[in-house]
Amino acid sequence: SRDALKSYLKGQGIPEAAMIEAGLLIKPEDGRPSYDRFRGRLMIPIQDDRGRVVAFGGRTLSPDGQPKYLNSPETELFHKGAQLYRYKAAREAAAMANVEGLVVCEGYMDVIALGEAGIDYAVAPLGTALTEDQLSLLWKVGGEPVLCFDGDAAGVRAAHKAIDRGLPHLEPGRSLFFALLPDGLDPDDLIRERGKEEMHTVLKNAKPLVDLLWDRELEQSPLDTPERKAGFEQRLDDAVAHIQHAGVKKAYGRELHQRLRDYLFQMRRPGRQGGK
């Protein structure tokens, strides 16, 4: 019903104002009575880095229910850009598994699917692109987290946003790796259709940030004129300029320019056709 939780909490002596402040109720601006925010949903508790429940995510149980996922709003306890779903448990699991970093997925159900596949050191952002605060949480656990995105266009865009967010903060021993899933599948689909070993293989073959950066800029246009070649080199230089650590910036510059020289040399070889 619209007020089952509200009625129950009132019976426990909880003031209605506190329920609204906690994001459990919605208070319409037109003066109508408040009502439960979450109804007809699978409820997923969201914990802070100390394991305290501070918010909820709710997935609709109706085939045509909208929105498909509904999160608690920002509150005094919950700041979605500063927290990661299942962070505390994943951090502890990563220590036990002795891995180089956490696995980051796009949603709760992906994290749950990975946990069932034995990869219980996975986390997810809470309805936003990765933030600097979330990157900081990841690097506290290990220097090489793997960002796992669906292989569709939206997943590629999310990976490219993560590149731009991460570049300024790269340091020795602190980077990002990327795993793009095949055929537009998400982790849950991949595990069910092809088995958990396939998921382990995808994560094992994750690409370092420099590879994804190179691929992204290379795909912008063919390199069939001097102007386009210069534009490609300029895009690489512009990306490297965002790196704040002097040593990493220099290493990226050397690496990308060497790749560019090798690539252009291969294009000039007999029998090669210019292009992407």
Side-chain angles (χ1 to χ4, degrees), residues 206-222:
K207 290 184 175 183
L209 189 153
V210 67
D211 284 358
L212 222 65
L213 173 62
W214 169 268
D215 291 343
R216 181 183 74 175
E217 302 306 334
L218 185 61
E219 290 168 359
Q220 294 297 313
S221 68

Side-chain angles (χ1 to χ4, degrees), residues 97-120:
N98 194 31
V99 295
E100 295 297 324
L102 299 178
V103 174
V104 185
C105 312
E106 295 188 61
Y108 313 120
M109 307 310 287
D110 296 330
V111 172
I112 293 169
L114 287 173
E116 291 182 334
I119 304 166
D120 50 359

Side-chain angles (χ1 to χ4, degrees), residues 34-155:
S34 60
Y35 57 92
D36 295 354
R37 179 179 299 274
F38 300 102
R39 301 185 306 282
R41 292 178 177 273
L42 172 68
M43 296 303 295
I44 301 169
I46 299 168
Q47 300 175 332
D48 64 10
D49 57 1
R50 293 169 59 184
R52 301 171 300 184
V53 176
V54 294
F56 293 96
R59 188 199 187 284
T60 180
L61 296 174
S62 172
D64 55 354
Q66 293 296 327
K68 186 176 181 180
Y69 288 96
L70 181 64
N71 288 336
S72 292
E74 294 270 330
T75 68
E76 288 295 313
L77 299 176
F78 176 54
H79 305 286
K80 60 185 179 181
Q83 290 158 326
L84 291 163
Y85 172 61
R86 209 173 173 274
Y87 178 71
K88 181 177 183 291
R91 180 180 61 192
E92 294 168 352
M96 295 292 292
N98 194 31
V99 295
E100 295 297 324
L102 299 178
V103 174
V104 185
C105 312
E106 295 188 61
Y108 313 120
M109 307 310 287
D110 296 330
V111 172
I112 293 169
L114 287 173
E116 291 182 334
I119 304 166
D120 50 359
Y121 41 89
V123 297
L126 301 163
T128 66
L130 274 177
T131 66
E132 292 180 11
D133 288 338
Q134 290 167 336
L135 286 174
S136 179
L137 289 175
L138 294 174
W139 282 322
K140 285 181 180 179
V141 178
E144 297 181 353
V146 177
L147 310 188
C148 182
F149 294 104
D150 302 353
D152 56 12

